[in-house]
């Protein structure tokens, strides 16, 4: 059974940093691209970042480019999102998602975690 | 960025109804569209991708079609478990973008 479990969310002040993790199990992690998608509670979905199977390619939404860094450790079946210079508008539930393919050039997420909540507030 | 405009934003329907949700892209996206279902407090679930390919395990009452800029999700006969919010999403290029969602209510 595919499982994605996010962790690392919390309450931080504007300008602070946070590192999210996603532990994957139940599939060959190093065969698939992975992504982060966020959702303000009660609002729509926003793609944040993606990484291909071997970390050769990463992509970011313009709203986070230069502040967030996506990475993965295939030996640990884990995905990460390093978030720096956090803003109030980064407040959201952050989901980790598994793509159906190895390339991050497309976004089709067939499995999602339950999400981890990031709140940025002074 | 490619804008994905869904209509309607909300829809009232009954069990057994046939419903259609439309998504219009701001430019042609060559069938690079996926549809997701989200229930309150849950993560989204993939229903269809490349416009019309049904994800394994998804009931056949869900179908998708479209080309160019216009795409549709159709539920042929609504079941009680189908009342949820539906999102379209383009994977034609980055930044990948979602529609604003369609809330399907009784």
């Amino acid at each position: 059974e595919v499982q994605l479990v996010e962790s690392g969310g919390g309450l931080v002040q504007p300008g602070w940093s946070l590192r999210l993790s996603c532990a994957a199990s139940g599939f060959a992690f190093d065969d698939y691209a992975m992504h982060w998608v966020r959702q303000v509670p009660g609002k729509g979905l926003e793609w944040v970042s993606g990484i291909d199977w071997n970390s050769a390619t990463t992509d970011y939404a313009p709203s986070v480019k230069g502040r967030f860094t996506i990475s993965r450790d295939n030996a640990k079946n884990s995905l990460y999102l390093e978030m720096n210079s956090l803003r109030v508008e980064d407040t959201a539930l952050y989901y980790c998602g598994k793509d159906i393919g190895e390339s991050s050039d497309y976004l089709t997420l067939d499995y999602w975690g339950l999400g981890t909540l990031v709140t940025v507030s002074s | 960025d490619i804008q994905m405009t869904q209509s309607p934003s909300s829809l009232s329907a009954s069990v057994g109804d046939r419903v259609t949700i439309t998504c219009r892209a701001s430019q042609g996206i060559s069938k690079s569209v996926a549809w997701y279902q989200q229930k309150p407090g849950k993560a989204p679930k993939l229903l269809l991708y490349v416009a019309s390919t049904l994800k394994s395990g998804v009931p056949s009452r869900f179908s998708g079609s479209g080309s160019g800029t216009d795409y549709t999700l159709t539920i042929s006969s609504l079941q009680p478990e189908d009342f949820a919010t539906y999102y379209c999403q383009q994977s034609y290029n980055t930044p990948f973008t979602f529609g604003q969602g369609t809330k399907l209510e009784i």
Side-chain angles (χ1 to χ4, degrees):
Chain A
E1 179 194 5
V2 172
Q3 282 199 326
L4 298 169
V5 180
E6 302 93 339
S7 61
L11 173 62
V12 297
Q13 294 186 5
W16 285 24
S17 298
L18 210 53
R19 189 195 199 206
L20 305 184
S21 299
C22 172
S25 60
F27 65 101
F29 182 73
D30 52 4
D31 279 350
Y32 298 95
M34 299 291 294
H35 296 264
W36 290 97
V37 174
R38 67 186 181 185
Q39 185 173 36
V40 175
K43 302 296 184 183
L45 299 164
E46 180 187 11
W47 172 76
V48 173
S49 182
I51 186 168
D52 68 359
W53 67 281
N54 65 352
S55 304
T57 302
T58 59
D59 287 296
Y60 300 91
S63 58
V64 306
K65 195 166 188 177
R67 300 188 297 122
F68 290 12
T69 302
I70 190 171
S71 63
R72 64 190 296 163
D73 185 336
N74 287 346
K76 294 183 178 180
N77 288 350
S78 293
L79 176 72
Y80 306 101
L81 187 68
E82 187 75 39
M83 304 186 296
N84 297 321
S85 303
L86 281 162
R87 304 169 180 170
V88 171
E89 55 266 34
D90 294 320
T91 295
L93 184 65
Y94 284 73
Y95 292 106
C96 152
K98 170 192 168 294
D99 206 294
I100 62 170
E102 63 180 23
S103 169
S104 58
D105 289 345
Y106 309 97
L107 177 70
T108 304
L109 301 180
D110 59 349
Y111 290 95
W112 299 58
L114 296 179
T116 186
L117 184 62
V118 172
T119 304
V120 184
S121 174
S122 55
Chain B
D1 300 2
I2 296 176
Q3 305 302 315
M4 301 294 284
T5 304
Q6 270 183 252
S7 59
S9 298
S10 63
L11 176 61
S12 293
S14 301
V15 172
D17 284 355
R18 177 184 180 90
V19 300
T20 297
I21 298 169
T22 297
C23 197
R24 174 164 287 177
S26 57
Q27 67 180 71
I29 57 174
S30 298
K31 299 189 175 185
S32 300
V33 64
W35 290 93
Y36 297 88
Q37 176 196 68
Q38 187 178 33
K39 295 181 179 179
K42 303 290 187 181
K45 289 186 176 181
L46 177 66
L47 300 174
L48 300 116
Y49 56 102
V50 284
S52 60
T53 301
L54 200 65
K55 183 194 171 186
S56 176
V58 173
S60 59
R61 62 181 180 272
F62 292 93
S63 64
S65 65
S67 62
T69 60
D70 296 328
Y71 298 88
T72 58
L73 169 69
T74 299
I75 310 173
S76 61
S77 178
L78 272 176
Q79 298 302 300
E81 60 269 28
D82 299 337
F83 291 94
T85 299
Y86 293 84
Y87 294 94
C88 61
Q89 169 247 305
Q90 66 83 15
S91 58
Y92 185 72
N93 60 19
T94 58
F96 304 119
T97 47
F98 292 83
Q100 79 278 18
T102 294
K103 188 172 184 179
L104 183 52
E105 301 173 297
I106 299 174

